[in-house]
Structure formats: structure tokens, C-alpha cells
Amino acid sequence: MKQKGFLLLLFIGLIVLAACGTGEDSQEEQSTDNVSSQYWDEIKEAGEIVVGTSGTLYPTSFYNDEEKKELTGYDVEIMKEIANRLDLELSFETMGIDTMFASLKNGRVDLIINDIEVTEERKEQFSFSDPYKYSYTTMIVREEDHSGIDSLEDLEGKKAGGGATTVFSQIAEHYGAEVVTYGNATNDTYLRDVDNGRTDTVINDYYLQSLALEAFPEFNIVLHPDLRFHPTEQAIVMPEGSDTLTEKVNEVLNEMREDGTLTELSEQFFGGKDASKQPEEEVVEIEGLEL
């Protein structure tokens, strides 16, 4: 009798433990679901999405008037279209690239868009949309001697202008260059310093560099004719775990790709070129660069 009673109590105990275990699993799943949807739920309830961008990066995010009243650019117009299709009001917070990621983490902005490259290190901390731009990396050098740079290895000992935490600065440092950092500076500041010898190069995106050169013909600088490296994908950055928000943004981006809106906006801001598609040029991958 005692043995039967013990077995009965043991059986009941196992049932209770199993029930408790199932409850904990359900709570964990529910908690995960809440985290993945809370960002979108809060944005939808507010009826507004707040976006971080620089406002100084031509032609993706810039002011088209001296009074800085109207923000435009490829990235900005993409974001305007996304907000419109999601039936949300839109406001921008302008800031330097080094501030954007911190602002996203502390909730000052809901997402950031500023020609930001998708990297493995960033994917560990943030969620990314599908790419809306494909490109590769080039460098601006002085026209008369290409700043003494014939290969990527020649960057050793040179000075490269850039933001402190950008991928382009990491590339410069990877090859032994000294990075001269700036705040939220406009393109003319970077280009002028290469022209006057304060720096030797600016490493950056092909499309952005090409148009920057066209905008400032007074500087004796060129895109390096022989160096095309580090293919890139640019995407919208959102808080880590914001699955529902990411899905909503991706749905709209896919619609914009299919109906030709991304191509139209790209051709408008990139001199008739379609940056929403993979480039056809041969581009060198950089070995040993961990991003």
C-alpha cells in the first residue's frame, strides 16, 4: 500500500512538473512574440515613425536649400514612401553617423537610414531590412599623382578622411592608413582636405563619390581609375528583435522594387544609374577584413 501510494504521488508530481514546464515554455514564447511585435505596435499606436539620418550625405540624405527646410535624397525619399504606404506620419532626426546607432538603441529614433552597410558585426546588434541599394567601394585621390596610391597596400602611412566608426575607416585602418575623423561634416569638407593635402584620400561608396565629384569641380581630385573593391549592400537599420517592424518594411520595399519605384528614385538621385540592382563591374573582395 505504501509503495502504491508513493507511486501515485510520484505520478501526480510528474504531471504537475510537466504542466509547470509547459507553462514556462509558453511564457517564453509569448515573451518573444511580444518583443518582436512591440516596436511595430508602438509605432502604429503613435501613428508616426521617427527616423535618424544625417542630412549631410549627398545624394542620399541632404537639404536642398540653404535654410535647411526640406530634407531629400535617395534614402529620404525611400523612407517617405515607406511611411506613406504604411499610413504613418514621418519625422526625421538629423545627427552624425556615430550617434545614429546609439539613438536607435536608446529609443530616440525608431529606425535609421543613411546609406548604412550591412555587416556581420552590426547584424549581431540590430535588425536590417532587405537591401535597397547595391554598390562597391572606391577612393577619391588627388588628380595629379593619385595621392601616391596605386594599390590598396599603398594606403599604409596615408591619411584618410572619414567617420570614426564607418566601414570605410575600418578599411583604411586595415591597410595601415591614419583616419582623420570628422563630425557630421558635409562632402565639401572631405574633398577640400584631399585637394589641399590635409588628407590623401576619402574611401567611400562609388555612387556617392561620383556625384560628390560632379558637385565640386573646383577641386583637383578624381576617383581612382583602377581600384574597385569591397562590394556592399545598404539597408534600413532597426532595433534588434523587431521582427514585425522589419517584415512591414520589407513588404513595402518589395512592392517598391516590383513596381519600379526604387529604380525611379535611384535614377533620379544617382545620375540615371540604378543602384537598386547589383553592379556589373568586377569588384575585388578584401581578405582578412572582419566587419
Side-chain angles (χ1 to χ4, degrees), residues 20 36 98 117 166 170 175 179 257-258 270 278:
C20 290
S36 67
D98 297 333
E117 180 182 344
T166 65
Q170 291 181 58
Y175 285 101
V179 175
R257 190 179 303 279
E258 291 176 1
F270 294 121
Q278 295 274 7

Side-chain angles (χ1 to χ4, degrees), residues 17-220:
L17 287 174
C20 290
T22 303
E24 288 175 0
D25 290 344
S26 299
Q27 288 175 359
E28 288 178 4
E29 291 175 5
Q30 185 176 1
S31 176
T32 301
D33 290 340
N34 289 340
V35 170
S36 67
S37 64
Q38 74 176 51
Y39 297 102
W40 169 247
D41 292 340
E42 290 172 359
I43 291 170
K44 188 176 180 181
E45 183 177 355
E48 179 187 40
I49 191 163
V50 182
V51 178
T53 192
S54 68
T56 60
L57 190 62
Y58 180 85
T60 63
S61 174
F62 65 99
Y63 289 96
N64 64 1
D65 54 7
E66 294 182 359
E67 291 79 19
K68 293 188 176 182
K69 291 182 179 180
E70 185 176 354
L71 193 64
T72 188
Y74 180 54
D75 289 21
V76 171
E77 297 304 324
I78 285 175
M79 201 61 246
K80 289 179 181 178
E81 186 67 20
I82 290 173
N84 181 59
R85 297 191 188 197
L86 291 176
D87 196 26
L88 295 170
E89 296 294 324
L90 173 66
S91 64
F92 287 100
E93 293 276 349
T94 57
M95 60 191 71
I97 183 66
D98 297 333
T99 306
M100 288 182 200
F101 292 104
S103 296
L104 184 59
K105 282 187 173 181
N106 66 29
R108 177 181 171 185
V109 298
D110 298 312
L111 55 80
I112 54 180
I113 184 169
N114 201 67
D115 202 64
I116 295 172
E117 180 182 344
V118 182
T119 68
E120 291 303 316
E121 182 179 346
R122 289 170 177 170
K123 284 165 66 175
E124 293 176 358
Q125 305 177 64
F126 305 97
S127 294
F128 282 86
S129 71
D130 294 334
Y132 62 84
K133 177 172 171 278
Y134 300 89
S135 187
Y136 56 90
T137 309
T138 57
M139 62 175 74
I140 286 177
V141 291
R142 285 184 287 279
E143 184 173 15
E144 65 272 15
D145 63 350
H146 297 164
S147 300
I149 300 171
D150 295 318
S151 67
L152 289 171
E153 287 71 21
D154 290 334
L155 283 167
E156 185 172 2
K158 302 294 184 182
K159 292 183 178 181
T165 59
T166 65
V167 170
F168 307 113
S169 292
Q170 291 181 58
I171 292 173
E173 291 173 337
H174 178 74
Y175 285 101
E178 174 190 346
V179 175
V180 178
T181 59
Y182 299 75
N184 198 21
T186 53
N187 287 336
D188 61 307
T189 302
Y190 290 94
L191 303 184
R192 182 179 292 106
D193 282 356
V194 176
D195 180 51
N196 64 30
R198 181 171 182 255
T199 60
D200 299 298
T201 185
V202 175
I203 299 173
N204 211 303
D205 175 81
Y206 161 71
Y207 291 105
L208 272 61
Q209 303 255 62
S210 298
L211 290 173
L213 287 176
E214 291 181 14
F216 301 99
E218 65 271 24
F219 300 135
N220 294 316

